[in-house]
Amino acid sequence: MNRIINGEVGEFYQWTDEEGNVMNVSDGGMIYVDGRYYWYGQKLRALPYAGEGRGGQTTVEGVVMYSSVDLYHWRYERVVLACSEDPDSLCFGPMRFERPKIVFNRKTGQYVLWCHYVKYPGDHGEQPGTAEAAVAVCDKVNGEYRLLKVCRPVDDRGLVRDSTVFQDIDGTAYFLYDRQVGQDRCLYIVKLTDDYLGFSGEYTRIEAAYWREAPCLVLYDGYYYMITSGLSGWAPNQAVYFRTGDLMGEWENMGDPCEDDLCGTTYGAQGTYIFRVENTDLCIFMAERHNTDDFEKCSYVWLPICFGADHTLKLTYRREWQQEDYR
């Protein structure tokens, strides 16, 4: 029987592809193209956390992609944004393409990938190259993406931490990120240019989302919802979600969306993305359990989002579930 299996809360349940190989697709996202879902993320290493390029939280391969027609059975596609062995390359590994997100630009016909970029050896910092945004493009969703540039939105003072990309129904795209200037950390939304390859100069600071990271957005019934994480490194913490009717306007703190989360840890996970199942109202919250002893064996948690008539949402943990029960 087809089921999405998350395992018990706190369990590193291993998702596998159709060849039986463990899926290694960290902090990624989802895009639907021509009848297939494409799930992509950073391929991490079978090592514990460590600095100076010795840790499993970095990659020497890059961003990988899987595809599926039903969200149950996954086929490995390829490395779509590859690391390089050239020390002069921006992609020289070990490094990080953290939280990659892909959107399709209908005007240019290009698939555009934005991520949080950290150069060799992959250690977060404040110096140029250690806290950036990066953009890559490709003409095919599952082709070889070409890295165009690394940069910082708003200004060069603001360090880039966790980020995502959101594409609105009118085709406008936005880069959202945890912007850090000293001890000041807050989520920002920056409108992308029409080609999605740069920043338009229009942005807003979400004052309600102070000291939050890992933004995951969805538009549902006229409201924008954003599920976020607190700042606790690799340790899971309590989620908080925000709501607004105007993406670039004021956001309202709606509290913890997780029902019966007795430990206050988002069921032992951290959000990475939200996507809508094609031709349905079902929205799925994608999250990840970070395995700091072996990053190759991080695990994934997918939960159906339940929206209320009062424009609220909630998450309820499901050890395993079927999409058909929530459509």
Side-chain angles (χ1 to χ4, degrees):
M1 182 179 296
N2 292 331
R3 289 186 176 275
I4 291 170
I5 302 177
N6 297 314
E8 302 293 344
V9 173
E11 177 187 358
F12 291 111
Y13 179 83
Q14 298 302 300
W15 294 43
T16 56
D17 64 18
E18 62 185 14
E19 301 295 327
N21 298 313
V22 172
M23 296 178 69
N24 184 352
V25 56
S26 180
D27 287 335
M30 188 77 63
I31 187 170
Y32 181 83
V33 180
D34 296 334
R36 295 193 76 89
Y37 296 91
Y38 292 87
W39 182 10
Y40 51 85
Q42 196 176 201
K43 185 172 183 179
L44 301 182
R45 296 191 285 171
L47 294 168
Y49 176 82
E52 300 179 345
R54 296 177 289 105
Q57 77 277 11
T58 61
T59 183
V60 293
E61 295 190 53
V63 177
V64 297
M65 180 176 284
Y66 298 81
S67 71
S68 173
V69 296
D70 58 9
L71 298 173
Y72 295 117
H73 306 93
W74 293 95
R75 180 181 74 194
Y76 178 73
E77 292 283 334
R78 63 181 300 156
V79 177
V80 292
L81 179 57
C83 290
S84 171
E85 296 182 357
D86 178 2
D88 294 326
S89 170
L90 288 173
C91 301
F92 179 57
M95 46 87 65
R96 301 196 210 187
F97 297 115
E98 284 192 334
R99 295 185 171 265
K101 300 294 179 286
I102 297 172
V103 287
F104 178 67
N105 190 306
R106 293 190 292 269
K107 294 179 180 179
T108 66
Q110 288 186 313
Y111 293 90
V112 181
L113 182 154
W114 281 93
C115 66
H116 167 209
Y117 169 92
V118 184
K119 69 177 183 180
Y120 173 89
D123 293 333
H124 286 148
E126 298 183 4
Q127 299 303 312
T130 64
E132 319 299 314
V135 60
V137 297
C138 191
D139 293 332
K140 293 173 55 180
V141 65
N142 58 348
E144 295 182 13
Y145 285 71
R146 177 169 53 94
L147 187 68
L148 298 182
K149 62 182 177 181
V150 300
C151 51
R152 293 182 181 178
V154 184
D155 59 44
D156 289 339
R157 294 172 56 245
L159 308 179
V160 177
R161 302 307 187 193
D162 281 2
S163 63
T164 192
V165 174
F166 177 77
Q167 187 178 43
D168 214 339
I169 54 176
D170 65 357
T172 307
Y174 301 84
F175 183 79
L176 288 87
Y177 74 113
D178 168 20
R179 182 174 187 264
Q180 179 179 2
V181 181
Q183 293 302 306
D184 181 52
R185 293 183 67 168
C186 193
L187 291 179
Y188 277 64
I189 302 180
V190 184
K191 182 180 177 181
L192 295 177
T193 53
D194 287 346
D195 59 10
Y196 299 177
L197 302 182
F199 306 113
S200 69
E202 183 179 348
Y203 66 88
T204 188
R205 173 184 169 110
I206 307 176
E207 294 291 350
Y210 187 71
W211 274 65
R212 306 299 299 176
E213 67 175 4
C216 303
L217 270 76
V218 65
L219 172 62
Y220 189 90
D221 195 22
Y223 281 84
Y224 300 91
Y225 300 86
M226 178 173 62
I227 301 175
T228 69
S229 168
L231 305 179
S232 57
W234 295 106
N237 58 65
Q238 188 175 51
V240 171
Y241 83 102
F242 303 85
R243 182 186 71 182
T244 186
D246 177 5
L247 189 65
M248 300 293 279
E250 186 174 351
W251 290 73
E252 179 182 5
N253 186 327
M254 302 296 292
D256 186 351
C258 299
E259 185 177 56
D260 297 327
D261 181 21
L262 302 180
C263 295
T265 60
T266 317
Y267 310 117
Q270 183 185 48
T272 65
Y273 197 63
I274 298 172
F275 72 96
R276 185 188 295 265
V277 177
E278 196 70 13
N279 299 318
T280 76
D281 286 332
L282 173 60
C283 296
I284 296 178
F285 173 65
M286 301 172 64
E288 181 166 336
R289 291 194 176 109
H290 300 292
N291 189 336
T292 55
D293 293 324
D294 181 350
F295 278 88
E296 185 181 57
K297 290 184 171 59
C298 293
S299 61
Y300 312 106
V301 175
W302 286 15
L303 297 174
I305 299 177
C306 299
F307 293 93
D310 56 350
H311 301 294
T312 59
L313 68 77
K314 70 176 181 179
L315 301 170
T316 303
Y317 195 76
R318 301 281 184 262
R319 185 186 181 281
E320 56 183 74
W321 59 283
Q322 294 176 285
Q323 304 166 56
E324 292 75 14
D325 294 338
Y326 295 89
R327 291 180 177 178

